């Protein structure tokens, strides 16, 4: 159990490092034009917001790793039943991938000062993100209608399955992180919509793109663990 947790944490840490390295290497203060020059003697030219994002992603990675660890530990109990997997999750995953692609398109447009491309990319990424959240709520509704909602009163063995509880936990925590990213996305999109210079939002677009990459990575891990076949494989092979 400890070994699998260490491996998972290491993989996510490497992914976070790679994501941050991509945005740190962009150096938007150089791309904004020749009028802005970074002093040679600057000892730490990385913007504070990038450092803050890195710290936040490290904390979030620890949180998700602990949650996955609890999932692995709980599935070893005798009362574990496989989740009734909502098929809409496949569609939601595709929508989130499209959101990430759109955000990447916005970043590409920001690097070449294409205001129109930045606006279109941000709007597409936001619409796909909201569609993803709506799809997650739909999945919740499907399980609730089918009687699989894990209530505190415990309405039967199926409804009280711990696998269902982890499904709500995974999707809710990931959704909250996405809502936090949409708050920053909203401010950036509003500035672009009002006609702000691309240079003034380039860094924000870069950070949003890194965050969307991270959320997609986390969701792919959680999504894979929720698939009944993968869950049973982990239960039977890893322990």
């Amino acid at each position: 159990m400890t070994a699998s947790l260490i491996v998972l944490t290491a993989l996510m840490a490497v992914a976070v490092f790679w994501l941050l390295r991509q945005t740190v290497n962009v150096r938007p203060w150089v791309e904004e034009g020749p009028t802005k020059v970074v002093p040679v003697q600057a000892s730490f030219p990385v913007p504070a917001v990038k450092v803050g994002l890195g710290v936040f992603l490290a904390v979030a990675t620890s949180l998700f790793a602990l949650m996955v660890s609890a999932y692995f530990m709980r599935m070893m109990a005798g009362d574990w039943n496989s989740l009734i997997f909502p098929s809409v999750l496949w569609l939601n995953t595709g929508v989130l991938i499209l959101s990430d692609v759109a955000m990447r398109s916005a970043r590409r447009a920001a690097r070449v000062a294409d205001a129109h491309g930045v606006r279109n990319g941000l709007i597409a990424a936001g619409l796909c993100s909201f569609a993803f959240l709506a799809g997650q709520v739909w999945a919740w509704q499907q399980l609730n209608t089918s009687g699989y909602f894990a209530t505190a009163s415990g309405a039967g063995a199926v409804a009280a399955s711990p696998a269902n509880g982890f499904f709500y936990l995974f999707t809710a925590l990931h959704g909250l992180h996405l809502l936090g990213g949409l708050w920053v996305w909203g401010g950036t999109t509003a500035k672009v919509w009002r006609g702000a210079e691309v240079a003034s939002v380039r860094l924000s677009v870069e950070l949003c793109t890194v965050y969307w990459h991270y959320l997609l990575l986390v969701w792919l891990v959680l999504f894979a663990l929720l698939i009944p076949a993968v869950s049973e494989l982990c239960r039977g092979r890893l322990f």
Side-chain angles (χ1 to χ4, degrees):
M1 179 60 232
T2 304
S4 61
L5 176 60
I6 293 175
V7 171
L8 177 64
T9 304
L11 288 175
M12 296 190 72
V14 170
V16 170
F17 174 78
W18 180 83
L19 290 173
L20 292 177
R21 184 179 178 84
Q22 300 306 305
T23 190
V24 166
N25 288 340
V26 170
R27 296 185 299 174
W29 55 85
V30 175
E31 297 179 7
E32 290 179 1
T35 57
K36 292 187 177 182
V37 180
V38 178
V40 178
Q41 66 271 21
S43 58
F44 194 64
V46 180
V49 289
K50 288 187 177 181
V51 178
L53 178 61
V55 173
F56 176 80
L57 293 185
V59 174
T61 299
S62 300
L63 176 62
F64 281 112
L66 289 174
M67 187 172 61
V68 171
S69 174
Y71 177 77
F72 284 155
M73 294 177 65
R74 187 63 181 85
M75 72 166 53
M76 294 304 298
D79 61 344
W80 183 267
N81 293 315
S82 296
L83 172 74
I84 304 301
F85 191 79
S87 57
V88 71
L89 293 183
W90 292 98
L91 176 62
N92 295 348
T93 302
V95 171
L96 188 61
I97 292 174
L98 290 177
S99 176
D100 181 73
V101 172
M103 192 66 76
R104 181 186 292 269
S105 174
R107 180 178 67 175
R108 189 181 304 112
R111 291 178 176 178
V112 296
D114 179 7
H116 184 71
V118 172
R119 183 180 62 184
N120 290 343
L122 287 175
I123 292 176
L127 290 177
C128 289
S129 298
F130 281 114
F132 170 81
L133 291 176
Q136 298 293 76
V137 174
W138 184 14
W140 278 41
Q141 179 124 26
Q142 284 183 342
L143 291 181
N144 186 28
T145 303
S146 301
Y148 290 98
F149 197 95
T151 59
S153 59
V158 177
S161 171
N164 297 326
F166 273 101
F167 168 78
Y168 300 121
L169 177 62
F170 284 173
T171 53
L173 189 59
H174 181 268
L176 287 175
H177 280 77
L178 181 54
L179 284 174
L182 285 171
W183 181 76
V184 179
W185 164 88
T188 304
T189 305
K191 290 180 181 179
V192 175
W193 192 265
R194 290 194 299 264
E197 294 291 333
V198 175
S200 66
V201 298
R202 182 180 291 122
L203 179 57
S204 181
V205 172
E206 290 283 345
L207 297 180
C208 283
T209 304
V210 171
Y211 192 61
W212 253 249
H213 288 347
Y214 177 78
L215 289 178
L216 176 60
L217 173 66
V218 170
W219 172 248
L220 290 177
V221 173
L222 299 180
F223 174 74
L225 292 176
L226 290 173
I227 297 175
V230 177
S231 177
E232 288 303 315
L233 179 63
C234 291
R235 192 164 185 245
R237 299 281 184 88
L238 296 182
F239 305 95

